[in-house]
Amino acid sequence: MSTLPTERAVRTTPEGLLWEPSARWVRGRKGEVTVVDSRHPVLVWEPGIPVPTYAFPRQEVREDLLRPAKNPPTGTHTGSRIFYDLDVDGHLVANAAWTFPAADLADHIAFEWFRRIGRGLDHWYEEEEEIFIHPRDPHKRVDAIPSSRHVVVEIDGTVVADTHRPVLLFETGLPTRYYIPREDVRLDLLEPTDHHTGCPYKGTARYRSSRTQANIVWSYPDPLPAVGAVKDLLAFYNEEVDITVDGERQERPVTPFTRTVPSPK
């Protein structure tokens, strides 16, 4: 007996929100205090924002730690009705939580993520795995696949990488990233920096700069298991360098990362 794939259970609201239930056990902490402990979270996509956030039934939130916001923002989170300040052991976090105006989500509360915008809850967990920046989108794939393609990377006309053993990383909504072994990269032309970023799909990235562009290349010293094949390999911003694959020069894509790479000071 065959079965059909389950259809995507996304709902829409008149306000333009998309949301769907999640089966994951989600917890959020501020310091050592658990503020959210939910087995019935929902994922919410706001208009114009490509990544989701979680919202939680009120009964799975420590509402005793929430206070009506003293200075609620306007024009954020799709016209949210109510904002809350979070009070944990006398430490007040302004506008840390909110409710959406949609009737479907009236009994749910959403929270900011500290590592995404600089305020909100410090640590988030799906089951027993800590996640960073924002929830992972269940409709997004990230695949790291070893390849034998010939990849050449140039910066300002100088070849800085040349390999026949890249790992290609395919991530929904982004251009293919070419991760290159260190032995095939001109590390003498790249200077390590203190910059780092977090990704809920890949882990924490460290960066290097060229002589003309800051933080143009990154690597994952300790990637998440799903993309373990990119460990310690180096990837360049396709948006800002010239990449040739199997003799074919690739067009520089336009993405949210375009023109965000500054020149070194």
Side-chain angles (χ1 to χ4, degrees):
M1 177 178 176
S2 62
T3 57
L4 296 174
T6 302
E7 291 186 3
R8 197 174 162 176
V10 174
R11 284 83 156 166
T12 60
T13 75
E15 297 79 9
L17 296 167
L18 301 176
W19 69 276
E20 70 174 350
S22 171
R24 301 185 184 196
W25 174 26
V26 179
R27 286 158 292 157
R29 295 202 328 241
K30 180 66 178 176
E32 297 302 316
V33 177
T34 298
V35 179
V36 175
D37 189 337
S38 177
R39 287 170 171 79
H40 307 91
V42 299
L43 285 162
V44 183
W45 290 262
E46 296 186 61
I49 300 178
V51 298
T53 192
Y54 275 123
F56 309 96
R58 287 180 175 273
Q59 62 269 26
E60 297 180 338
V61 171
R62 286 282 305 274
E63 286 195 83
D64 59 303
L65 302 178
L66 300 180
R67 312 282 181 262
K70 293 181 179 180
N71 297 293
T74 59
T76 61
H77 297 304
T78 317
S80 300
R81 290 175 176 163
I82 302 173
F83 280 86
Y84 299 97
D85 296 337
L86 176 68
D87 187 347
V88 176
D89 296 331
H91 177 68
L92 197 69
V93 181
N95 301 311
W98 72 93
T99 62
F100 288 108
D104 291 355
L105 301 172
D107 294 327
H108 289 70
I109 298 176
F111 286 82
E112 300 287 12
W113 292 44
F114 180 84
R115 297 193 188 186
R116 183 178 179 192
I117 66 165
R119 71 172 186 273
L121 302 192
D122 302 321
H123 300 281
W124 288 94
Y125 300 86
E126 291 178 346
E127 303 300 332
E128 296 300 326
E129 183 175 324
E130 186 169 8
I131 54 174
F132 307 94
I133 312 300
H134 61 79
R136 289 176 283 204
D137 189 328
H139 308 290
K140 182 171 184 172
R141 286 189 64 95
V142 180
D143 298 307
I145 304 176
S147 176
S148 59
R149 289 177 181 251
H150 184 200
V151 177
V152 178
V153 180
E154 297 175 66
I155 298 178
D156 299 328
T158 299
V159 173
V160 294
D162 188 332
T163 189
H164 287 271
R165 48 182 185 152
V167 171
L168 275 54
L169 191 134
F170 301 94
E171 183 170 352
T172 304
L174 289 175
T176 303
R177 301 300 191 188
Y178 301 92
Y179 283 78
I180 300 173
R182 290 170 178 264
E183 297 82 1
D184 297 338
V185 177
R186 289 282 306 275
L187 295 179
D188 59 307
L189 301 177
L190 301 169
E191 186 71 22
T193 75
D194 293 330
H195 185 59
H196 66 276
T197 58
C199 171
Y201 306 101
K202 298 183 288 291
T204 299
R206 303 291 179 180
Y207 286 77
R208 293 173 181 259
S209 294
S210 72
R211 295 190 179 98
T212 58
Q213 292 176 294
N215 303 315
I216 192 68
V217 58
W218 69 90
S219 62
Y220 288 94
D222 188 21
L224 295 176
V227 294
V230 305
K231 180 178 174 64
D232 289 330
L233 306 186
L234 300 172
F236 294 78
Y237 277 108
N238 310 45
E239 297 87 343
E240 305 295 336
V241 303
D242 293 314
I243 298 179
T244 301
V245 179
D246 292 337
E248 181 179 348
R249 177 67 62 91
Q250 306 296 295
E251 291 187 12
R252 292 188 181 186
V254 176
T255 77
F257 298 101
T258 301
R259 289 185 294 277
T260 62
V261 182
S263 298
K265 296 181 179 179

